[in-house]
Amino acid sequence: MPAKEKAEAAGAVSFSVERLQRLAAMEEDHFWFRGRWLWVQRFLQMVRGASSGPVLDIGCGTGFSAALLASQGFPVVALDPMLEGLRLAAHRKPRLHLVQGSALSLPFRPGSLQGALLMDVLEHVPAEQALGEVWRVLTPGGFLIFSVPSLPWLWSRRDEGAGHFCRYTRKQMRRLLIQAGFIPQELRYYLFLLLPVVLVSRLLARFWPASEQLEERPGKLANTLGYVLVRGEVGVGRWISWPLGSSLVGLAFKPREGFRG
């Protein structure tokens, strides 16, 4: 997609109401979401205690991550452009602080937030602009936790259907973070052990489009086995940096005042 069309599309909602409802049904149990949250928990342990300021979940969708953050004692603000997503989030976690807004124009004062989550958001919007907005609203020393789909050669119909602009490499994300003014702390590939299965699934979908549903709706046994594998991968990932993975997760910081890189 040309850059101009990307910028125009960024203001549009790329998730249909139907897709949001499907996500709400998947997030509680699907091994991919549960494994991704294990990474988020690890990063939260690294930043816990730094401050008690609010954490913004940008593009909160159905409120899955925001609800988990709130349940762990973090003061959370959940932001999404879609009212339907915010309604689902309110149902999932009553009394959650919800805001309708765009990742490209965050309705918060400069330096007013301690942390931010961008969970599979940057592939839907111009990443430079979104990261610049996050940098603006974070306090010096504030943190950013993010995830994005990775490896451009995994591009498939699923990416097109989900409204993705691109898939990222670790090198690309590091460069984007640094250009936005962040200090990358962790950049980890996720789903290394299941990468062959993902690759076969994407290739199969070219000839049998209905097979795409298998990734979203694995059988009970496959889902259990998938979670065992990703849980082990995340655990071992404390000491091993996996060379590849179909997703990329990371932690970065806004420099404290007076920092010189």
Side-chain angles (χ1 to χ4, degrees):
M1 179 183 291
K4 181 179 178 181
E5 293 181 17
K6 286 185 179 183
E8 293 174 349
V13 175
S14 58
F15 275 25
S16 67
V17 172
E18 179 186 4
R19 180 169 176 79
L20 279 173
Q21 292 171 338
R22 291 205 313 270
L23 285 173
M26 293 166 53
E27 287 169 328
E28 299 286 351
D29 186 59
H30 196 288
F31 70 85
W32 184 86
F33 288 98
R34 295 173 68 193
R36 186 184 69 173
W37 180 250
L38 291 176
W39 274 115
V40 175
Q41 284 182 303
R42 180 190 169 193
F43 296 150
L44 289 174
Q45 290 173 357
M46 298 171 66
V47 302
R48 188 181 290 275
S51 175
S52 58
V55 178
L56 177 64
D57 185 6
I58 304 169
C60 67
T62 67
F64 176 71
S65 297
L68 289 173
L69 273 173
S71 68
Q72 295 194 9
F74 287 89
V76 183
V77 180
L79 177 141
D80 200 88
M82 292 191 66
L83 280 176
E84 180 61 26
L86 295 176
R87 291 190 185 103
L88 290 169
H91 179 74
R92 188 192 294 272
K93 185 72 174 179
R95 297 185 298 278
L96 194 63
H97 186 179
L98 303 173
V99 177
Q100 186 178 19
S102 168
L104 304 181
S105 183
L106 296 175
F108 302 96
R109 298 189 313 276
S112 60
L113 300 170
Q114 179 60 33
L117 267 63
L118 278 169
M119 308 310 296
D120 285 80
V121 171
L122 291 173
E123 66 272 21
H124 294 279
V125 298
E128 297 89 344
Q129 186 175 347
L131 288 171
E133 275 293 280
V134 175
W135 193 95
R136 179 183 65 82
V137 300
L138 285 182
T139 186
F143 66 88
L144 167 64
I145 296 173
F146 69 90
S147 63
V148 291
S150 61
L151 307 180
W153 46 266
L154 275 181
W155 184 269
S156 72
R157 288 165 49 96
R158 285 182 58 82
D159 293 284
E160 295 171 2
H164 294 175
F165 291 158
C166 62
R167 302 181 69 93
Y168 294 93
T169 66
R170 183 157 49 193
K171 183 178 180 180
Q172 287 172 326
M173 275 308 308
R174 182 180 296 278
R175 182 174 66 249
L176 283 170
L177 289 166
I178 292 173
Q179 288 175 346
F182 287 97
I183 303 172
Q185 180 73 25
E186 296 270 354
L187 287 169
R188 300 281 187 162
Y189 280 117
Y190 167 52
L191 278 195
F192 170 72
L193 297 179
L194 286 173
L195 187 57
V197 178
V198 173
L199 181 58
V200 169
S201 173
R202 302 298 164 90
L203 291 174
L204 183 62
R206 294 182 181 180
F207 308 98
W208 182 34
S211 67
E212 293 179 358
Q213 300 302 316
L214 296 177
E215 286 192 39
E216 291 192 2
R217 302 171 184 172
K220 185 176 181 180
L221 179 60
N223 193 50
T224 300
L225 178 59
Y227 182 64
V228 170
L229 288 174
V230 298
R231 185 172 181 175
E233 176 183 307
V234 174
V236 176
R238 293 174 179 270
W239 300 282
I240 294 177
S241 181
W242 301 107
L244 295 171
S246 62
S247 290
L248 186 67
V249 295
L251 169 67
F253 291 94
K254 179 176 179 176
R256 295 186 181 277
E257 294 178 351
F259 173 83
R260 294 291 184 271

